[in-house]
């Protein structure tokens, strides 16, 4: 266990559904991240939160909406997704945003959009 | 723009043999280089990093990587492979554009 917990582990949703992914860490880290992992493609950094403020948004469509209510929790709200959004979504945390490369990763949520 | 190339989708190695997983990079300035491993149904785990100093970097689980500036490479190596090393390996570079990952290489160790 890395100390980063993601729920649910698997999610199947229709294109008109609204769902949320949850990430939790109790490592005392100040930075949290969402990544998208698609088959045979590089990991894509989606969002970076530092001290509960979004500091990076890498051209992610608005149908993905992150929320960081406190330093231990990070959500990814999903709305009207497309089949190409099916992927493994990984949450990670690090001591601070400068130590991104030493982030601890969760096990991911396998999302399938039908 | 910075980039990372992992030219092999899959590497097959017999148990006990040495293994190499290739990585080349492109980045402005001094590179910060990293390797991560992802076991089935698990998140990424940090393996090792090169920031400065010796070109040969040692990491977790007996892995090491060699930084070669002239060839802009950072290949991952292990002298003797174990079946339990079978996993997906990612190379990454940190530069002005943040952390950029390669596509990943599946390492399969055959008994």
């Amino acid at each position: 266990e890395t100390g980063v917990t993601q729920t649910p582990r698997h999610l199947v949703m229709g294109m008109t559904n609204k769902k949320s992914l949850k990430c939790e860490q109790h490592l005392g880290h100040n930075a949290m991240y969402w990544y998208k992992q698609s088959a045979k493609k590089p990991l894509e950094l989606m969002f970076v939160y530092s001290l509960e403020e979004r500091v990076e948004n890498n051209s992610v469509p608005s149908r993905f909406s992150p929320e960081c209510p406190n330093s231990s929790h990070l959500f990814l709200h999903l709305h009207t997704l497309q089949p190409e959004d099916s992927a493994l979504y990984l949450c990670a945390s690090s001591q601070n945003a400068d130590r991104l490369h030493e982030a601890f990763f969760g096990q991911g949520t396998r999302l399938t959009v039908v | 723009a910075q980039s990372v190339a992992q030219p092999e989708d899959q590497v097959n190695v017999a148990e006990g043999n040495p293994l190499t997983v290739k990585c080349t990079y492109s980045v402005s300035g001094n590179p910060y280089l990293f390797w991560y491993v992802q076991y089935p149904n698990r998140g990424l785990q940090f393996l090792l990093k090169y920031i400065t100093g010796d070109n040969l970097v040692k990491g977790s689980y007996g892995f090491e990587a060699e930084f070669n500036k002239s060839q802009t490479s950072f290949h991952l190596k292990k002298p003797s492979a174990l079946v339990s090393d079978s996993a997906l390996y990612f190379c990454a570079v940190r530069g002005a554009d943040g952390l950029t990952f390669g596509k990943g290489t599946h390492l399969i160790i055959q008994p």
Side-chain angles (χ1 to χ4, degrees):
Chain A
E1 290 297 328
T2 63
V4 180
T5 304
Q6 290 186 242
T7 54
R9 292 291 307 280
H10 301 272
L11 178 62
V12 179
M13 61 185 289
M15 288 190 284
T16 58
N17 291 159
K18 289 185 181 181
K19 296 286 184 183
S20 296
L21 310 185
K22 180 182 177 182
C23 177
E24 188 172 354
Q25 59 91 7
H26 295 288
L27 300 169
H29 289 170
N30 293 318
M32 296 186 76
Y33 316 88
W34 279 116
Y35 283 87
K36 178 182 179 182
Q37 183 179 12
S38 304
K40 297 188 178 182
K41 292 178 67 176
L43 247 67
E44 300 171 49
L45 179 60
M46 300 173 71
F47 301 104
V48 179
Y49 274 82
S50 177
L51 297 171
E52 302 152 42
E53 286 192 23
R54 191 191 311 179
V55 297
E56 194 167 330
N57 175 348
N58 289 328
S59 304
V60 180
S62 60
R63 57 186 184 269
F64 295 92
S65 174
E67 179 190 2
C68 188
N70 55 61
S71 60
S72 299
H73 294 86
L74 184 65
F75 294 90
L76 187 63
H77 303 301
L78 314 172
H79 176 52
T80 58
L81 295 192
Q82 304 298 311
E84 60 265 29
D85 296 323
S86 299
L88 181 69
Y89 289 84
L90 292 167
C91 174
S93 71
S94 64
Q95 188 63 49
N96 55 56
D98 287 343
R99 302 186 74 84
L100 165 73
H101 56 278
E102 293 178 346
F104 290 73
F105 283 78
Q107 294 174 289
T109 296
R110 175 70 62 187
L111 174 66
T112 303
V113 181
V114 297
Chain B
Q2 61 198 51
S3 65
V4 175
Q6 292 182 243
E8 305 150 316
D9 285 342
Q10 183 170 307
V11 171
N12 295 285
V13 177
E15 186 177 24
N17 283 2
L19 69 87
T20 299
V21 182
K22 295 180 181 177
C23 172
T24 58
Y25 66 89
S26 173
V27 68
S28 300
N30 292 324
Y32 292 178
L33 297 157
F34 312 92
W35 275 101
Y36 298 83
V37 59
Q38 185 177 31
Y39 296 103
N41 300 315
R42 303 276 292 275
L44 267 67
Q45 295 179 40
F46 171 75
L47 263 184
L48 52 79
K49 67 181 177 184
Y50 171 83
I51 304 296
T52 186
D54 288 342
N55 289 345
L56 187 64
V57 179
K58 294 188 184 297
S60 307
Y61 311 120
F63 283 92
E64 56 190 28
E66 186 168 12
F67 170 61
N68 187 317
K69 188 173 184 177
S70 63
Q71 296 184 4
T72 61
S73 68
F74 190 56
H75 301 331
L76 182 69
K77 300 181 180 184
K78 187 172 182 179
S80 178
L82 300 172
V83 172
S84 57
D85 292 330
S86 299
L88 182 60
Y89 290 81
F90 290 92
C91 181
V93 65
R94 180 161 189 173
D97 295 341
L99 191 62
T100 299
F101 287 85
K103 292 188 303 181
T105 299
H106 279 100
L107 177 63
I108 298 177
I109 309 301
Q110 293 151 335

